[in-house]
Structure formats: structure tokens, C-alpha cells
Amino acid sequence: DIQMTQSPSSLSASVGDRVTITCQASQDISNYLNWYQQKAGKAPKLLIYDASNLKTGVPSRFSGSGSGTDFTFTISSLQPEDIATYYCQQYENLPYTFGQGTKLEIK
Amino acid sequence: QVQLVESGGGLVKPGGSLRLSCAASGFTFSGYYMSWIRQAPGKGLEWVSYISSSGSTMYYADSVKGRFTISRDNAKNSLYLQMNSLRAEDTAVYFCARDQLGTHAFDIWGQGTMVTVSS
């Protein structure tokens, strides 16, 4: 199975800050990498697909980059409503696997 | 409105069975692959199974292979997960999710249904 390692596991930042989360795959997954946001008690929401494509309707402050084994998710200017846990997910190989999550809090 | 609504969760004893359902609306259900994804309490996301749009191809995580069966009824716009030989470690919220066309990104999720396996 492909292991997905996110860092950090938790992050505290201030409103307006630039926030970056990384995701590393245990093998080359090309750009087959998606990012999700999960707010407490809710289902996850797709934000970014294929490493860098913003899902329609998602604010442009969210972005993603990378290919191969190393990926980055960025919030350019943190907003209070961005408090959530963020997950990466690969679909290069079955089983599809998720990172362990990054919990984002407001400082 | 594009929507997925799960049902069928509950409390079941170890070794027991449960069938989850997922009702789809607002899109052409028969055109999409569908998946089940679960989340144990306080834990991360685990993909469980997917089924092709026609229902002819299914894949399972090793943790559920041989115990769970995914199926669909395109005439009823419904997805199912038959869960047998349940274990305590199957306790989780189970989400159904739509595979975005061409990417295997999960672009639409249901609200989830809780399955608790306990004696």
C-alpha cells in the first residue's frame, strides 16, 4: 500500500497568515493527489484534485502543488472558517489511501 | 441538488451483520463510480470499497475483504454495503462518496451513518 505522510499533524496560525501543509507519498504517484477539508462533525469536502486543480466553487485562497512524491497545500490568507482538519489522498494505486490529517486551529 | 444520504447504521454485536444504504439524487447515478469510506471515532479516513458505474467491478480494502460486499441498483439510484462478521474495529462513521469523473477524487459525500460494533 502507498503510505501518505502529512506534516504537521497540527498547526496553529493567525487570521491572515499563509498556511502550508505537506504530504509525502511512499512512492511516485504522479499527480494523483487530492486534498479534502473536514470540519468537526461533518463529511469531508473536496478542495483540490489532481494535485493542483481547484474544485469549482472553492475559494481561490486554497491551492495545491507538487508531483511525484512531494506535495504542498496552501491557504494564502487564513480565514476563521478554515478551521478544520485537512487530508491528502492518493489514487495512483488501490487501496486509495489518505494522510493522517492536519488539524488547523486559530491562534 | 446533488445529494447522497446514507442509512442503516446502528449498534450490532461482534459477528453480526448490517446493511448500509446510500440514496443518490440530483445527478445521473448510473454514470459514476461510487465508494464507501469510513472514519473510526477520533481517527482519520479509510477507503473501504468502490464499485464501477455498471456494478461489474468492485474493489475492497484488505481489512474488509471477504466480509463486506458493495453493490448498487442503478434503477433505484442506490448504493449498498453489506457488512458481515463485524468486528469491534469496524466501528466507524461510514460515508458514501461519488468518484469525480476521471480523477477518483471524492467530490460528493453523504453525511455519514454510524456503525457501532459492541457486545
Side-chain angles (χ1 to χ4, degrees):
Chain A
D1 297 2
I2 298 175
Q3 306 302 315
M4 306 300 294
T5 304
Q6 282 182 239
S7 62
S9 295
S10 63
L11 175 58
S12 182
S14 300
V15 172
D17 281 356
R18 183 180 183 87
V19 170
T20 298
I21 299 169
T22 64
C23 181
Q24 185 169 59
S26 60
Q27 65 187 71
D28 189 337
I29 60 169
S30 185
N31 68 328
Y32 300 143
L33 190 284
N34 306 314
W35 289 97
Y36 300 86
Q37 175 194 67
Q38 186 178 31
K39 296 184 177 180
K42 301 295 186 181
K45 289 184 178 179
L46 176 66
L47 300 180
I48 304 281
Y49 64 95
D50 292 350
S52 61
N53 293 304
L54 194 67
K55 183 187 175 186
T56 301
V58 173
S60 59
R61 65 179 180 274
F62 297 101
S63 64
S65 64
S67 66
T69 60
D70 295 303
F71 301 86
T72 300
F73 172 82
T74 300
I75 306 173
S76 60
S77 178
L78 185 66
Q79 300 301 303
E81 61 266 31
D82 300 336
I83 297 314
T85 299
Y86 292 84
Y87 294 92
C88 60
Q89 172 242 330
Q90 67 80 24
Y91 68 94
E92 159 66 19
N93 277 348
L94 286 165
Y96 303 142
T97 47
F98 292 85
Q100 81 279 14
T102 297
K103 187 173 183 178
L104 179 54
E105 298 173 333
I106 294 286
K107 195 179 292 183
Chain B
Q1 176 188 358
V2 176
Q3 194 173 9
L4 297 170
V5 178
E6 302 95 335
S7 60
L11 175 63
V12 60
K13 289 181 167 54
S17 298
L18 213 53
R19 189 196 197 205
L20 306 183
S21 299
C22 171
S25 59
F27 65 99
T28 305
F29 179 72
S30 60
Y32 289 85
Y33 282 39
M34 298 293 296
S35 288
W36 287 99
I37 296 152
R38 68 184 180 182
Q39 186 170 37
K43 302 297 184 182
L45 299 166
E46 180 188 16
W47 171 82
V48 172
S49 179
Y50 92 60
I51 188 167
S52 62
S53 54
S54 67
S56 61
T57 302
M58 296 84 78
Y59 286 103
Y60 299 92
D62 285 346
S63 57
V64 306
K65 200 173 297 182
R67 301 186 298 122
F68 290 12
T69 302
I70 191 171
S71 63
R72 65 191 296 160
D73 185 336
N74 286 342
K76 295 184 177 180
N77 292 334
S78 292
L79 175 72
Y80 306 101
L81 187 68
Q82 178 66 43
M83 305 186 295
N84 298 331
S85 303
L86 282 161
R87 307 167 179 167
E89 53 265 36
D90 295 318
T91 294
V93 175
Y94 285 73
F95 298 99
C96 63
R98 187 179 83 171
D99 272 37
Q100 180 173 271
L101 289 172
T103 70
H104 292 298
F106 306 117
D107 67 340
I108 303 294
W109 296 64
Q111 84 287 354
T113 188
M114 183 71 203
V115 172
T116 303
V117 185
S118 174
S119 55

